């Protein structure tokens, strides 16, 4: 009798593993919402057509990178955060010269700011962007970040293939 119950329990292990994998693939609910709202930016020409302009690739002193930010200066003036209108769209330059969408960044000069219950991080001045103090939230919706969905630098992103213009 004990062996029969044990056997049935073992039979459930593959089902539990599939459920765990599905949960990991779905990720954070906010990242899923961001992906749906902004998937159009997979094509960098869409970002350009919507008024985004690139700034040089951003990498970290401890490794990893954020990639090339395409920033919409008009959206920087928005006082409310709109999930469909990120202030920056982030791309990783690839070896073949293409840009791969990896994340978006929401920026607010009015804070504290939040989106779907996630507080933005404060960035003081002076900063590498030459901006006044601001609040920001990165959402790694297209490339997983082992440090977390909302951290700044992603160790899986590189600026190695960025070309200065």
């Amino acid at each position: 009798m004990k062996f029969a119950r044990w056997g049935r329990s073992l039979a459930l292990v593959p089902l539990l593993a599939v459920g765990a994998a599905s949960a990991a693939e779905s990720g954070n609910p906010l990242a899923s919402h961001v992906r749906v709202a902004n998937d159009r930016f997979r094509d960098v020409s869409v970002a350009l057509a919507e008024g985004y302009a690139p700034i040089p690739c951003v990498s970290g002193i401890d490794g990893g990178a954020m990639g090339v930010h395409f920033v919409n200066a008009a959206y920087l003036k928005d006082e409310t955060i709109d999930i469909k209108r990120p202030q920056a769209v982030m791309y990783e330059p690839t070896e073949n010269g293409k840009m791969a969408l990896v994340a978006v960044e929401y920026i607010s000069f009015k804070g504290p700011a939040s989106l779907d219950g996630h507080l933005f991080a404060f960035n003081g001045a002076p900063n590498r962007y030459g901006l006044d103090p601001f609040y920001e939230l990165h959402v790694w919706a297209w490339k997983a970040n082992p440090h977390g969905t909302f951290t700044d630098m992603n160790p899986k992103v590189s600026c190695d293939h960025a070309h200065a213009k």
Side-chain angles (χ1 to χ4, degrees), residues 9-35:
S9 297
L10 280 179
L12 292 175
V13 169
L15 294 175
L16 293 173
V18 168
S22 296
E25 289 170 4
S26 68
N28 181 282
L30 178 55
S32 296
H33 295 145
V34 164
R35 197 170 25 260

Side-chain angles (χ1 to χ4, degrees), residues 15-136:
L15 294 175
L16 293 173
V18 168
S22 296
E25 289 170 4
S26 68
N28 181 282
L30 178 55
S32 296
H33 295 145
V34 164
R35 197 170 25 260
V36 169
N38 296 291
D39 211 44
R40 67 190 185 280
F41 293 122
R42 284 185 182 270
D43 182 347
V44 71
S45 68
V46 172
L48 292 168
E50 289 189 25
Y52 290 84
I55 64 170
C57 201
V58 179
S59 57
I61 58 173
D62 294 327
M66 291 184 219
V68 177
H69 288 63
F70 280 65
V71 178
N72 188 311
Y75 293 169
L76 287 174
K77 298 172 187 171
D78 290 349
E79 289 198 16
T80 58
I81 300 299
D82 181 343
I83 197 167
K84 295 178 184 176
R85 293 170 38 135
Q87 284 68 26
V89 182
M90 298 155 47
Y91 295 89
E92 180 177 21
T94 64
E95 192 172 358
N96 65 5
K98 300 210 185 261
M99 298 295 252
L101 179 63
V102 292
V104 297
E105 182 177 7
Y106 297 95
I107 300 168
S108 176
F109 292 98
K110 185 177 179 180
S114 67
L115 181 62
D116 281 359
H118 294 275
L119 274 176
F120 288 27
F122 178 72
N123 217 320
N127 53 62
R128 68 166 84 189
Y129 311 105
L131 296 174
D132 289 335
F134 64 96
Y135 297 85
E136 51 89 7

